[in-house]
Amino acid sequence: MFRIAAFGTSMLLLASGAALADAGVWSRADQESGRQAAVQGIRVQLPGREEKQKAVSSIDPLSGRPETRAGTTAVQGATKTFTAKLTADGLNETLTFRFIESEGGMIVLPSPDLGYELHSLPNGQALVEYASSIYKLDPKKRQLSVFLKGETGNYRKTKRTSASGGTPKMVVWGQRASVSPDGTKMLYWTTRNITVTGSEDGENWIKDLRTGAEKKVYGAGYPVLGWDARNRFYLDLGDSGIVQVDSASGASAKLVSGFSISAVSGTHLLSQVSDGSLNVRALSTGQTQTFRGGGLNHLRSASASDDGKWFALLNAPDRSSRVSTLILLDAKTLKSRTIEEPAGHSIIGITWQDGETLLVQLRNRTTAEESTYTVQVSGEEEA
């Protein structure tokens, strides 16, 4: 495996504003076939283009269900399954879950192809988004149970409501769950206020995972960028910018105005509102630095490492070009390194396995074959 140098004196020194292009990384990095990501530090194989096409073509026109699934599997170790019955809120259904065994425990794998969204909890249990609500899964007991309160304030859980005398609408009791880094709070989106306002924009609520208390903290539902070390979360408001919300008090502050490509770590917020430069804001002090190096033009995506030290940026040197570059940026110093795509390949995704390990998904432009490279962001070069 090849380790990319960060600050070694005998290695290439990362230079702020003048990043070095390194196309030779790929020939020395660890490569495996297929698309890989990480779940709780464990490698999983993601469905690729071919698997997805097979699943789509196998859909029964009458039932609308595919005969072939395009789901995640473990890279190492056997992928197993178990079922759990959901008998709550008028439901009587059986859900299937994929899992692997690791260090004596069970890690349940996200499987959106099976009809739900999954979110892991620190205690080994998980949250399952299904049928417009959120349920708790105990993998060891194979049990699904009610998680959100059935009544909060003036709102009572119901399947449908005729909002303002109009067409009955589905009420989303809970979706888009996001658990704080310390595992004490969960943010979720709900449209329970539709019974009063008639609006489908919904609200953001917080559930205290220690006490069970639930409350509204921010109106309208927007994508969550992430959390910081002080249990504040960050919402992408689209054309209106980025807002910081305190999960305890609900106090909010707009940190970015206008549309941006952004990412947040526990310590820094990165955002690009115009091509050619980006801002990195230290969340503890509010101090903002501007980065313009490394051949930066238009960000296609950005992702923060688990420990918040690094940002991995997928950059388009030319908006009209199919070519991308990978920029590794130190969040604190803004020292960077630019890595060109392998010849004949396109970077189609970047995900972090841990604070130092980046998984880069590639697709061959001629054959459409997909593969994953493992890049160690810092350390010393190994033969």
Side-chain angles (χ1 to χ4, degrees):
M1 183 179 293
F2 178 76
R3 297 182 181 274
I4 294 178
F7 303 104
T9 56
S10 62
M11 303 298 296
L12 294 175
L13 183 66
L14 303 182
S16 177
L20 301 168
D22 187 347
V25 161
W26 309 110
S27 63
R28 301 186 294 271
D30 189 32
Q31 179 189 13
E32 297 185 53
S33 62
R35 301 180 65 174
Q36 293 185 17
V39 177
Q40 300 180 59
I42 303 297
R43 296 281 190 95
V44 295
Q45 198 83 26
L46 301 176
R49 174 185 286 181
E50 184 177 350
E51 289 85 359
K52 291 178 181 178
Q53 289 176 340
K54 288 181 179 179
V56 171
S57 62
S58 73
I59 294 177
D60 186 306
L62 297 179
S63 66
R65 297 181 178 179
E67 294 182 4
T68 301
R69 294 289 183 180
T72 55
T73 57
V75 173
Q76 294 181 334
T79 302
K80 303 178 181 180
T81 62
F82 69 87
T83 59
K85 294 205 68 173
L86 179 57
T87 55
D89 303 323
L91 299 171
N92 185 17
E93 301 187 32
T94 301
L95 302 185
T96 300
F97 298 92
R98 300 185 180 100
F99 75 98
I100 58 176
E101 295 176 339
S102 175
E103 298 181 352
M106 297 173 61
I107 296 180
V108 184
L109 305 179
S111 301
D113 63 307
L114 296 178
Y116 55 79
E117 294 293 330
L118 188 85
H119 308 274
S120 299
L121 292 174
N123 61 3
Q125 298 186 346
L127 300 177
V128 178
E129 292 185 20
Y130 184 76
S132 300
S133 192
I134 301 173
Y135 301 92
K136 179 180 284 188
L137 171 68
D138 187 327
K140 292 184 178 180
K141 295 182 179 179
R142 272 67 164 170
Q143 290 181 348
L144 281 163
S145 58
V146 172
F147 182 64
L148 297 179
K149 294 181 179 296
E151 185 174 358
T152 52
N154 297 324
Y155 304 120
R156 178 176 295 178
K157 187 171 185 179
T158 179
K159 291 294 180 184
R160 292 182 179 272
T161 179
S162 55
S164 303
T167 304
K169 306 286 186 180
M170 284 295 296
V171 173
V172 175
W173 200 244
Q175 282 183 355
R176 306 178 194 172
S178 178
V179 180
S180 62
D182 65 2
T184 63
K185 296 185 177 182
M186 182 195 75
L187 174 71
Y188 63 99
W189 173 73
T190 176
T191 63
R192 62 191 65 186
N193 63 318
I194 194 175
T195 58
V196 177
T197 66
S199 171
E200 296 182 70
D201 291 340
E203 300 172 336
N204 286 288
W205 282 53
I206 283 286
K207 182 178 181 72
D208 191 308
L209 300 182
R210 298 162 299 182
T211 67
E214 299 175 10
K215 66 177 182 180
K216 172 188 171 182
V217 289
Y218 194 81
Y222 297 98
V224 182
L225 286 173
W227 299 70
D228 66 20
R230 295 169 56 183
N231 271 356
R232 297 176 299 191
F233 59 88
Y234 296 78
L235 300 175
D236 186 346
L237 308 185
D239 292 341
S240 298
I242 297 171
V243 65
Q244 175 194 77
V245 184
D246 187 284
S247 62
S249 66
S252 62
K254 183 174 287 189
L255 303 186
V256 178
S257 297
F259 176 79
S260 68
I261 303 296
S262 305
V264 67
S265 70
T267 57
H268 291 81
L269 168 67
L270 177 145
S271 60
Q272 183 183 66
V273 295
S274 60
D275 290 353
S277 68
L278 56 83
N279 294 323
V280 179
R281 180 188 181 103
L283 299 176
S284 60
T285 65
Q287 181 181 3
T288 299
Q289 299 183 78
T290 302
F291 175 78
R292 295 188 176 89
L296 175 71
N297 184 23
H298 175 71
L299 286 190
R300 289 185 166 135
S301 65
S303 177
S305 62
D306 291 354
D307 59 5
K309 181 179 179 181
W310 297 94
F311 284 104
L313 314 175
L314 190 56
N315 171 56
D318 181 348
R319 274 206 187 202
S320 62
S321 174
R322 296 170 58 191
V323 175
S324 298
T325 59
L326 174 64
I327 300 178
L328 301 175
L329 181 68
D330 186 297
K332 186 176 181 179
T333 67
L334 296 197
K335 292 181 179 181
S336 69
R337 188 172 188 179
T338 299
I339 304 172
E340 299 173 352
E341 288 178 323
H345 290 73
S346 297
I347 298 176
I348 57 176
I350 48 178
T351 55
W352 291 92
Q353 181 172 343
D354 51 43
E356 298 289 336
T357 309
L358 183 66
L359 303 178
V360 184
Q361 296 94 33
L362 297 166
R363 179 179 294 135
N364 187 295
R365 296 189 187 122
T366 302
T367 66
E369 181 181 358
E370 295 174 341
S371 58
T372 299
Y373 282 90
T374 303
V375 176
Q376 297 295 330
V377 178
S378 65
E380 295 183 352
E381 184 179 13
E382 296 180 346

